Coordinates of all heavy atoms in Angstrom, one line a residue:
M1 N 9.2 -76.7 13.2 CA 9.0 -76.0 12.0 C 10.4 -75.6 11.5 O 11.3 -75.2 12.3 CB 8.2 -74.7 12.3 CG 7.5 -74.3 11.0 SD 6.7 -72.7 11.3 CE 5.0 -73.1 11.4
N2 N 10.6 -75.8 10.1 CA 12.0 -75.4 9.7 C 12.1 -73.9 9.4 O 11.1 -73.2 9.2 CB 12.3 -76.3 8.4 CG 11.7 -75.8 7.2 OD1 11.9 -74.7 6.8 ND2 11.0 -76.7 6.5
P3 N 13.4 -73.5 9.5 CA 13.6 -72.0 9.5 C 13.1 -71.3 8.2 O 12.7 -70.2 8.3 CB 15.2 -71.9 9.6 CG 15.6 -73.2 10.1 CD 14.6 -74.2 9.7
L4 N 13.1 -72.1 7.1 CA 12.7 -71.5 5.8 C 11.2 -71.1 5.9 O 10.8 -70.1 5.4 CB 13.0 -72.5 4.7 CG 12.9 -71.8 3.3 CD1 14.0 -70.9 3.0 CD2 12.9 -72.9 2.2
R5 N 10.4 -72.0 6.5 CA 9.0 -71.8 6.6 C 8.7 -70.5 7.4 O 7.8 -69.7 7.1 CB 8.3 -73.0 7.3 CG 7.9 -74.0 6.2 CD 7.0 -75.0 6.9 NE 6.4 -75.9 5.9 CZ 5.5 -76.9 6.3 NH1 5.1 -77.0 7.5 NH2 5.1 -77.7 5.4
I6 N 9.5 -70.4 8.5 CA 9.3 -69.2 9.4 C 9.6 -67.9 8.6 O 8.9 -67.0 8.7 CB 10.2 -69.4 10.7 CG1 9.7 -70.5 11.5 CG2 10.2 -68.1 11.5 CD1 10.7 -71.0 12.6
L7 N 10.6 -68.0 7.8 CA 11.1 -66.9 7.0 C 10.0 -66.5 6.0 O 9.6 -65.3 5.9 CB 12.3 -67.2 6.3 CG 13.2 -66.0 5.8 CD1 13.9 -65.4 7.0 CD2 14.2 -66.4 4.8
I8 N 9.4 -67.5 5.3 CA 8.3 -67.2 4.4 C 7.1 -66.7 5.1 O 6.5 -65.7 4.6 CB 8.0 -68.5 3.6 CG1 9.2 -68.9 2.6 CG2 6.7 -68.4 2.8 CD1 9.2 -70.3 2.1
L9 N 6.8 -67.2 6.2 CA 5.6 -66.8 6.9 C 5.8 -65.3 7.4 O 4.8 -64.5 7.3 CB 5.4 -67.7 8.2 CG 4.0 -67.8 8.7 CD1 3.1 -68.6 7.8 CD2 4.0 -68.4 10.1
T10 N 7.0 -65.0 7.8 CA 7.3 -63.7 8.3 C 7.1 -62.7 7.1 O 6.5 -61.6 7.2 CB 8.7 -63.6 8.9 OG1 8.8 -64.6 9.8 CG2 8.9 -62.2 9.5
A11 N 7.6 -63.1 6.0 CA 7.6 -62.2 4.8 C 6.1 -62.0 4.4 O 5.7 -60.9 4.0 CB 8.4 -62.9 3.6
L12 N 5.3 -63.1 4.4 CA 3.9 -63.0 4.0 C 3.2 -62.1 5.0 O 2.3 -61.2 4.6 CB 3.3 -64.4 4.0 CG 3.5 -65.2 2.8 CD1 3.0 -66.6 3.0 CD2 2.9 -64.6 1.6
L13 N 3.5 -62.2 6.3 CA 2.8 -61.4 7.3 C 3.2 -59.9 7.0 O 2.3 -59.0 7.1 CB 3.2 -61.8 8.7 CG 2.5 -63.0 9.2 CD1 3.1 -63.4 10.5 CD2 1.0 -62.7 9.5
Y14 N 4.4 -59.6 6.7 CA 4.9 -58.3 6.4 C 4.2 -57.7 5.2 O 3.7 -56.5 5.3 CB 6.4 -58.3 6.2 CG 7.0 -56.9 5.9 CD1 7.0 -55.9 6.8 CD2 7.4 -56.7 4.6 CE1 7.5 -54.7 6.5 CE2 7.9 -55.4 4.3 CZ 8.0 -54.4 5.3 OH 8.5 -53.2 5.0
I15 N 4.1 -58.5 4.2 CA 3.4 -58.0 3.0 C 1.9 -57.7 3.3 O 1.4 -56.7 2.9 CB 3.5 -59.1 1.8 CG1 4.9 -59.1 1.3 CG2 2.5 -58.8 0.7 CD1 5.2 -60.3 0.5
L16 N 1.3 -58.6 4.1 CA -0.1 -58.4 4.4 C -0.3 -57.1 5.3 O -1.2 -56.3 5.1 CB -0.6 -59.6 5.3 CG -2.1 -59.8 5.4 CD1 -2.7 -60.3 4.1 CD2 -2.4 -60.8 6.5
Y17 N 0.7 -56.9 6.2 CA 0.6 -55.7 7.0 C 0.8 -54.5 6.2 O 0.0 -53.5 6.4 CB 1.8 -55.8 8.0 CG 2.1 -54.5 8.8 CD1 1.2 -54.2 9.8 CD2 3.1 -53.7 8.4 CE1 1.5 -53.0 10.5 CE2 3.4 -52.6 9.1 CZ 2.5 -52.2 10.1 OH 2.8 -51.0 10.8
R18 N 1.7 -54.5 5.2 CA 1.9 -53.3 4.3 C 0.6 -53.0 3.5 O 0.2 -51.9 3.3 CB 3.1 -53.5 3.4 CG 4.4 -53.4 4.1 CD 4.7 -52.1 4.7 NE 4.7 -51.0 3.8 CZ 5.8 -50.5 3.3 NH1 6.9 -50.9 3.6 NH2 5.7 -49.5 2.4
L19 N 0.0 -54.1 3.0 CA -1.2 -54.0 2.2 C -2.3 -53.3 3.0 O -3.0 -52.4 2.6 CB -1.7 -55.3 1.7 CG -0.9 -55.8 0.4 CD1 -1.4 -57.3 0.1 CD2 -1.2 -55.0 -0.8
L20 N -2.5 -53.8 4.2 CA -3.5 -53.3 5.1 C -3.3 -51.9 5.5 O -4.2 -51.1 5.4 CB -3.6 -54.2 6.4 CG -4.3 -55.6 6.2 CD1 -4.1 -56.4 7.5 CD2 -5.8 -55.4 5.8
T21 N -2.1 -51.5 5.9 CA -1.9 -50.1 6.4 C -1.9 -49.2 5.2 O -2.4 -48.1 5.3 CB -0.6 -50.0 7.1 OG1 0.5 -50.6 6.3 CG2 -0.6 -50.7 8.5
G22 N -1.3 -49.6 4.1 CA -1.3 -48.7 2.9 C -2.7 -48.5 2.4 O -3.0 -47.4 2.0
G23 N -3.5 -49.5 2.4 CA -4.9 -49.4 1.9 C -5.7 -48.4 2.8 O -6.4 -47.6 2.3
K24 N -5.5 -48.6 4.1 CA -6.2 -47.7 5.0 C -5.9 -46.2 4.8 O -6.7 -45.4 4.8 CB -5.9 -48.1 6.4 CG -6.9 -48.9 7.1 CD -6.6 -49.1 8.5 CE -7.3 -50.4 9.1 NZ -6.7 -50.8 10.4
R25 N -4.6 -46.0 4.6 CA -4.1 -44.6 4.4 C -4.8 -43.9 3.2 O -5.2 -42.8 3.2 CB -2.6 -44.6 4.3 CG -2.0 -43.4 5.0 CD -0.5 -43.5 5.1 NE -0.1 -44.4 6.1 CZ 1.1 -45.2 6.1 NH1 1.9 -45.1 5.0 NH2 1.4 -46.0 7.0
R26 N -4.8 -44.7 2.1 CA -5.3 -44.2 0.9 C -6.8 -43.9 1.0 O -7.3 -42.9 0.6 CB -5.1 -45.3 -0.2 CG -4.4 -44.7 -1.5 CD -4.1 -45.8 -2.5 NE -3.2 -46.7 -2.0 CZ -3.2 -48.0 -2.2 NH1 -4.3 -48.6 -2.8 NH2 -2.3 -48.9 -1.8
L27 N -7.5 -44.8 1.7 CA -8.9 -44.7 1.9 C -9.3 -43.4 2.7 O -10.2 -42.6 2.4 CB -9.5 -45.9 2.7 CG -10.9 -46.2 2.5 CD1 -11.1 -46.9 1.2 CD2 -11.4 -47.1 3.7
R28 N -8.5 -43.2 3.8 CA -8.7 -42.0 4.7 C -8.5 -40.7 3.9 O -9.3 -39.8 4.0 CB -7.7 -42.1 5.8 CG -8.5 -42.0 7.2 CD -7.5 -42.1 8.3 NE -7.6 -43.4 8.9 CZ -6.6 -43.9 9.7 NH1 -5.5 -43.3 9.9 NH2 -6.7 -45.1 10.2
K29 N -7.4 -40.7 3.1 CA -7.1 -39.5 2.4 C -8.2 -39.1 1.4 O -8.6 -38.0 1.3 CB -5.8 -39.7 1.6 CG -4.9 -38.5 1.5 CD -3.6 -38.8 0.8 CE -2.7 -37.6 0.6 NZ -1.5 -38.0 -0.1
G30 N -8.7 -40.2 0.7 CA -9.8 -40.0 -0.2 C -11.0 -39.4 0.4 O -11.7 -38.6 -0.1
A31 N -11.3 -39.9 1.6 CA -12.5 -39.5 2.3 C -12.5 -38.0 2.7 O -13.5 -37.3 2.6 CB -12.7 -40.3 3.6
Y32 N -11.3 -37.5 3.0 CA -11.2 -36.1 3.4 C -11.2 -35.2 2.2 O -11.7 -34.1 2.2 CB -10.0 -35.8 4.3 CG -10.2 -36.2 5.7 CD1 -9.5 -37.2 6.3 CD2 -11.2 -35.6 6.4 CE1 -9.7 -37.6 7.6 CE2 -11.5 -35.9 7.7 CZ -10.7 -36.9 8.3 OH -11.0 -37.3 9.6
Q33 N -10.5 -35.6 1.1 CA -10.4 -34.8 -0.1 C -11.6 -34.9 -1.0 O -11.7 -34.2 -2.0 CB -9.1 -35.2 -0.9 CG -7.9 -34.7 -0.1 CD -6.6 -35.2 -0.8 OE1 -6.7 -36.0 -1.7 NE2 -5.5 -34.6 -0.4
G34 N -12.5 -35.8 -0.7 CA -13.6 -36.1 -1.6 C -14.6 -34.9 -1.6 O -14.4 -33.9 -1.0
S35 N -15.6 -35.1 -2.4 CA -16.6 -34.1 -2.6 C -17.3 -33.7 -1.3 O -17.0 -34.1 -0.2 CB -17.7 -34.6 -3.6 OG -18.2 -35.8 -3.2
G36 N -18.4 -32.9 -1.4 CA -19.0 -32.4 -0.2 C -19.8 -33.3 0.6 O -20.6 -33.0 1.5
R37 N -19.7 -34.6 0.3 CA -20.4 -35.6 1.1 C -20.0 -35.7 2.5 O -20.8 -35.9 3.4 CB -20.2 -37.0 0.4 CG -21.1 -37.2 -0.8 CD -21.0 -38.6 -1.4 NE -21.6 -39.5 -0.5 CZ -21.6 -40.8 -0.6 NH1 -20.8 -41.3 -1.6 NH2 -22.2 -41.6 0.2
H38 N -18.7 -35.4 2.7 CA -18.2 -35.4 4.1 C -18.1 -34.0 4.6 O -17.8 -33.1 3.8 CB -16.8 -36.1 4.2 CG -16.9 -37.6 4.0 ND1 -17.0 -38.4 5.1 CD2 -16.9 -38.3 2.9 CE1 -17.1 -39.7 4.6 NE2 -17.0 -39.6 3.3
D39 N -18.2 -33.8 5.9 CA -18.2 -32.5 6.4 C -16.8 -31.9 6.3 O -15.8 -32.6 6.5 CB -18.6 -32.6 7.9 CG -19.2 -31.2 8.4 OD1 -19.3 -30.3 7.6 OD2 -19.6 -31.2 9.5
V40 N -16.7 -30.6 5.9 CA -15.4 -30.0 5.8 C -14.9 -29.6 7.1 O -15.6 -29.1 8.0 CB -15.6 -28.7 4.9 CG1 -14.3 -28.0 4.7 CG2 -16.3 -29.0 3.6
L41 N -13.6 -29.8 7.3 CA -12.9 -29.4 8.5 C -12.4 -28.0 8.4 O -11.8 -27.7 7.4 CB -11.8 -30.4 8.9 CG -12.2 -31.8 9.3 CD1 -11.0 -32.7 9.5 CD2 -13.1 -31.8 10.6
V42 N -12.6 -27.2 9.5 CA -12.1 -25.9 9.5 C -11.2 -25.7 10.7 O -11.4 -26.4 11.7 CB -13.2 -24.8 9.5 CG1 -13.9 -24.7 8.2 CG2 -14.3 -25.1 10.6
E43 N -10.2 -24.9 10.6 CA -9.2 -24.7 11.7 C -9.6 -23.5 12.6 O -9.8 -22.4 12.1 CB -7.8 -24.6 11.2 CG -6.8 -24.9 12.3 CD -5.4 -24.6 11.9 OE1 -5.1 -23.4 11.9 OE2 -4.6 -25.5 11.6
D44 N -9.6 -23.8 13.9 CA -9.8 -22.7 14.8 C -8.5 -21.9 15.0 O -7.5 -22.5 15.3 CB -10.2 -23.4 16.2 CG -10.5 -22.4 17.3 OD1 -9.8 -21.4 17.3 OD2 -11.4 -22.7 18.1
P45 N -8.5 -20.6 14.7 CA -7.3 -19.9 14.7 C -6.8 -19.6 16.2 O -5.6 -19.2 16.4 CB -7.6 -18.5 14.1 CG -9.1 -18.4 14.2 CD -9.6 -19.8 14.2
V46 N -7.6 -19.9 17.1 CA -7.3 -19.6 18.5 C -6.5 -20.8 19.1 O -5.4 -20.8 19.6 CB -8.5 -19.2 19.4 CG1 -8.1 -19.1 20.9 CG2 -9.1 -18.0 18.9
C47 N -7.2 -22.0 19.1 CA -6.6 -23.2 19.7 C -6.1 -24.2 18.7 O -5.6 -25.2 19.0 CB -7.6 -23.8 20.7 SG -9.0 -24.5 19.8
K48 N -6.2 -23.8 17.4 CA -5.6 -24.7 16.3 C -6.2 -26.1 16.2 O -5.6 -27.0 15.7 CB -4.1 -24.8 16.4 CG -3.3 -23.5 16.6 CD -3.3 -22.7 15.3 CE -2.7 -21.3 15.5 NZ -2.9 -20.4 14.5
V49 N -7.4 -26.2 16.6 CA -8.1 -27.4 16.6 C -9.0 -27.5 15.3 O -9.5 -26.4 14.9 CB -9.0 -27.6 17.8 CG1 -10.2 -28.5 17.6 CG2 -8.1 -28.2 19.0
C50 N -9.0 -28.6 14.6 CA -9.9 -28.7 13.5 C -11.3 -29.2 13.9 O -11.4 -30.2 14.5 CB -9.2 -29.7 12.5 SG -7.9 -29.0 11.6
V51 N -12.3 -28.5 13.4 CA -13.6 -28.8 13.8 C -14.5 -28.9 12.5 O -14.2 -28.2 11.5 CB -14.3 -27.8 14.7 CG1 -13.9 -28.1 16.1 CG2 -14.0 -26.4 14.3
P52 N -15.5 -29.8 12.5 CA -16.4 -29.9 11.3 C -17.1 -28.6 11.2 O -17.6 -28.0 12.2 CB -17.3 -31.0 11.6 CG -16.7 -31.8 12.7 CD -15.8 -30.8 13.5
K53 N -17.2 -28.1 10.0 CA -17.9 -26.8 9.7 C -19.3 -26.7 10.3 O -19.7 -25.6 10.8 CB -17.9 -26.6 8.2 CG -17.8 -25.1 7.7 CD -17.7 -25.1 6.2 CE -17.2 -23.8 5.7 NZ -17.0 -23.7 4.3
Q54 N -20.0 -27.8 10.2 CA -21.4 -27.8 10.7 C -21.5 -27.5 12.2 O -22.5 -26.9 12.7 CB -22.0 -29.2 10.4 CG -22.1 -29.5 8.9 CD -23.1 -28.8 8.2 OE1 -24.3 -28.6 8.6 NE2 -22.8 -28.3 7.0
Q55 N -20.4 -27.9 12.9 CA -20.5 -27.7 14.4 C -19.7 -26.5 14.8 O -19.7 -26.2 16.0 CB -19.8 -29.0 15.0 CG -20.7 -30.2 14.9 CD -19.9 -31.5 15.3 OE1 -19.1 -31.5 16.2 NE2 -20.2 -32.5 14.5
A56 N -19.0 -25.9 13.9 CA -18.2 -24.7 14.3 C -19.0 -23.5 14.6 O -20.1 -23.3 14.1 CB -17.2 -24.4 13.2
V57 N -18.4 -22.6 15.4 CA -19.0 -21.3 15.7 C -18.4 -20.3 14.7 O -17.2 -20.3 14.6 CB -18.7 -20.9 17.2 CG1 -19.3 -19.5 17.5 CG2 -19.2 -21.9 18.2
S58 N -19.2 -19.6 14.0 CA -18.6 -18.7 13.0 C -18.7 -17.3 13.3 O -19.5 -16.8 14.2 CB -19.3 -19.0 11.6 OG -20.7 -18.6 11.8
L59 N -17.8 -16.5 12.7 CA -17.7 -15.1 12.9 C -17.4 -14.4 11.6 O -16.5 -14.8 10.8 CB -16.6 -14.7 13.9 CG -16.3 -13.3 14.1 CD1 -17.3 -12.6 15.0 CD2 -14.9 -13.1 14.7
Q60 N -18.2 -13.5 11.2 CA -18.1 -12.8 9.9 C -17.1 -11.6 10.2 O -17.4 -10.8 11.1 CB -19.4 -12.2 9.4 CG -20.4 -13.3 9.0 CD -20.0 -14.0 7.7 OE1 -19.4 -13.4 6.8 NE2 -20.4 -15.3 7.6
E61 N -16.1 -11.5 9.4 CA -15.1 -10.4 9.5 C -14.5 -10.1 8.2 O -13.9 -10.9 7.5 CB -14.0 -10.8 10.5 CG -13.2 -9.6 11.0 CD -11.9 -10.0 11.5 OE1 -11.1 -10.6 10.8 OE2 -11.6 -9.6 12.7
A62 N -14.7 -8.8 7.8 CA -14.2 -8.2 6.6 C -14.5 -9.1 5.4 O -13.7 -9.5 4.5 CB -12.6 -8.0 6.7
G63 N -15.8 -9.6 5.3 CA -16.2 -10.4 4.2 C -15.8 -11.8 4.3 O -16.1 -12.6 3.4
K64 N -15.0 -12.2 5.3 CA -14.6 -13.6 5.5 C -15.3 -14.2 6.7 O -15.7 -13.5 7.6 CB -13.1 -13.6 5.7 CG -12.3 -13.4 4.4 CD -10.9 -14.0 4.5 CE -10.0 -13.4 5.5 NZ -8.6 -13.9 5.5
T65 N -15.4 -15.5 6.6 CA -16.0 -16.2 7.7 C -14.9 -17.0 8.5 O -14.1 -17.7 7.8 CB -17.1 -17.2 7.2 OG1 -18.0 -16.5 6.4 CG2 -17.9 -17.8 8.4
I66 N -14.8 -16.7 9.7 CA -13.8 -17.4 10.6 C -14.6 -18.4 11.5 O -15.6 -18.1 12.0 CB -13.0 -16.4 11.4 CG1 -12.4 -15.3 10.5 CG2 -11.9 -17.1 12.2 CD1 -11.9 -14.1 11.2
Y67 N -14.0 -19.6 11.6 CA -14.7 -20.6 12.4 C -13.9 -20.9 13.6 O -12.7 -21.0 13.6 CB -14.8 -21.9 11.5 CG -15.7 -21.7 10.3 CD1 -15.2 -21.3 9.1 CD2 -17.1 -21.8 10.5 CE1 -16.1 -21.1 8.0 CE2 -18.0 -21.6 9.4 CZ -17.4 -21.3 8.2 OH -18.3 -21.0 7.1
F68 N -14.7 -21.2 14.7 CA -14.1 -21.6 16.0 C -14.7 -22.8 16.5 O -15.9 -23.1 16.2 CB -14.3 -20.4 17.0 CG -13.8 -19.1 16.5 CD1 -14.6 -18.2 15.8 CD2 -12.5 -18.8 16.7 CE1 -14.1 -17.0 15.3 CE2 -11.9 -17.6 16.2 CZ -12.8 -16.7 15.5
C69 N -14.0 -23.5 17.5 CA -14.5 -24.7 18.0 C -15.6 -24.4 19.1 O -16.5 -25.3 19.3 CB -13.4 -25.5 18.6 SG -12.7 -24.8 20.1
S70 N -15.6 -23.3 19.7 CA -16.6 -22.9 20.7 C -16.7 -21.4 20.8 O -15.9 -20.7 20.3 CB -16.1 -23.5 22.1 OG -14.9 -22.9 22.4
D71 N -17.8 -21.0 21.6 CA -18.0 -19.6 21.8 C -16.8 -19.0 22.6 O -16.5 -17.9 22.4 CB -19.3 -19.4 22.7 CG -20.5 -19.6 21.8 OD1 -20.6 -19.1 20.7 OD2 -21.5 -20.2 22.3
E72 N -16.2 -19.8 23.4 CA -15.1 -19.4 24.3 C -13.9 -18.9 23.4 O -13.4 -17.8 23.6 CB -14.7 -20.6 25.1 CG -14.0 -20.1 26.4 CD -13.4 -21.3 27.2 OE1 -14.1 -22.4 27.2 OE2 -12.3 -21.2 27.7
C73 N -13.6 -19.7 22.3 CA -12.6 -19.3 21.4 C -12.9 -18.1 20.6 O -12.0 -17.3 20.3 CB -12.2 -20.5 20.5 SG -11.2 -21.7 21.3
R74 N -14.2 -18.0 20.3 CA -14.6 -16.8 19.5 C -14.4 -15.5 20.3 O -13.9 -14.5 19.9 CB -16.0 -16.9 19.0 CG -16.4 -15.9 18.0 CD -17.8 -16.1 17.5 NE -18.8 -15.9 18.5 CZ -20.1 -15.8 18.3 NH1 -20.5 -15.9 17.0 NH2 -20.9 -15.7 19.2
E75 N -14.8 -15.6 21.6 CA -14.6 -14.5 22.5 C -13.2 -14.1 22.7 O -12.8 -13.0 22.7 CB -15.2 -14.9 23.9 CG -16.7 -15.2 24.0 CD -17.6 -14.0 23.5 OE1 -17.4 -12.9 24.1 OE2 -18.4 -14.2 22.6
K76 N -12.3 -15.2 22.8 CA -10.9 -14.9 22.9 C -10.3 -14.2 21.7 O -9.5 -13.3 21.8 CB -10.1 -16.3 23.1 CG -10.0 -16.7 24.5 CD -9.1 -18.0 24.5 CE -9.4 -18.8 25.8 NZ -8.8 -20.1 25.7
F77 N -10.8 -14.6 20.5 CA -10.3 -14.0 19.3 C -10.7 -12.6 19.2 O -9.9 -11.7 18.9 CB -11.0 -14.8 18.1 CG -10.5 -14.3 16.7 CD1 -9.3 -14.8 16.2 CD2 -11.3 -13.5 16.0 CE1 -8.8 -14.3 15.0 CE2 -10.8 -13.0 14.7 CZ -9.6 -13.5 14.2
I78 N -12.0 -12.3 19.6 CA -12.5 -10.9 19.6 C -11.7 -10.0 20.6 O -11.3 -8.9 20.3 CB -14.0 -10.9 19.9 CG1 -14.7 -11.5 18.7 CG2 -14.5 -9.4 20.0 CD1 -16.2 -12.0 19.0
A79 N -11.5 -10.6 21.8 CA -10.7 -9.9 22.8 C -9.3 -9.6 22.4 O -8.8 -8.5 22.7 CB -10.7 -10.8 24.1
R80 N -8.7 -10.5 21.7 CA -7.3 -10.3 21.2 C -7.2 -9.2 20.2 O -6.2 -8.4 20.2 CB -6.8 -11.6 20.6 CG -6.0 -12.5 21.5 CD -5.3 -13.6 20.7 NE -5.3 -14.8 21.4 CZ -4.9 -16.0 20.9 NH1 -4.6 -16.0 19.6 NH2 -4.9 -17.1 21.6
K81 N -8.2 -9.1 19.4 CA -8.2 -8.1 18.4 C -8.3 -6.7 19.0 O -7.8 -5.7 18.5 CB -9.4 -8.3 17.4 CG -9.1 -9.3 16.3 CD -10.0 -9.0 15.1 CE -11.4 -8.5 15.5 NZ -12.0 -7.9 14.4
G82 N -9.1 -6.6 20.1 CA -9.3 -5.4 20.8 C -8.1 -4.8 21.5 O -8.1 -3.7 21.9
E83 N -7.1 -5.6 21.7 CA -5.9 -5.2 22.5 C -5.1 -4.2 21.7 O -5.0 -4.2 20.5 CB -5.0 -6.4 22.8 CG -5.5 -7.1 24.0 CD -4.8 -8.5 24.2 OE1 -3.7 -8.7 23.5 OE2 -5.3 -9.3 25.0
Ligands
ZN1 ZN1 -10.9 -23.5 19.9

């Protein structure tokens, strides 16, 4: 194979790679920012993990709802406040 062909092939592969990765990123961003069709992610203030709202453990506090990944984290949060 001549060197020019290898160069062109490499360039084409690079372009294809960029198209594929760029496209995926845009798709993912749209999915999260989209309407209520996808589950909303909420951050657990104790362990900083993002959990889907539907699966989160909630706590009502001062008119606000705080979400946790598990009962364990909710207990920790309550315990910390009591200190
Ligand atoms: Zn947690």
Side-chain angles (χ1 to χ4, degrees):
M1 210 188 249
N2 79 58
L4 194 70
R5 270 195 176 182
I6 294 166
L7 202 74
I8 289 165
L9 205 72
T10 309
L12 280 172
L13 280 171
Y14 178 70
I15 290 164
L16 197 73
Y17 169 77
R18 287 301 297 260
L19 280 173
L20 283 172
T21 52
K24 260 186 201 166
R25 216 170 285 152
R26 234 175 291 140
L27 203 80
R28 232 177 258 162
K29 216 176 180 184
Y32 280 118
Q33 289 177 347
S35 56
R37 284 186 70 190
H38 287 269
D39 207 358
V40 182
L41 288 176
V42 286
E43 199 190 75
D44 180 324
V46 178
C47 64
K48 309 288 177 196
V49 153
C50 283
V51 278
K53 215 172 191 175
Q54 300 287 316
Q55 289 165 40
V57 180
S58 64
L59 174 76
Q60 295 286 330
E61 194 199 58
K64 283 202 301 185
T65 310
I66 305 161
Y67 296 94
F68 304 93
C69 70
S70 62
D71 282 319
E72 208 186 318
C73 279
R74 191 174 65 168
E75 298 299 308
K76 271 186 204 167
F77 185 81
I78 295 163
R80 264 190 217 173
K81 276 203 328 158
E83 274 171 15

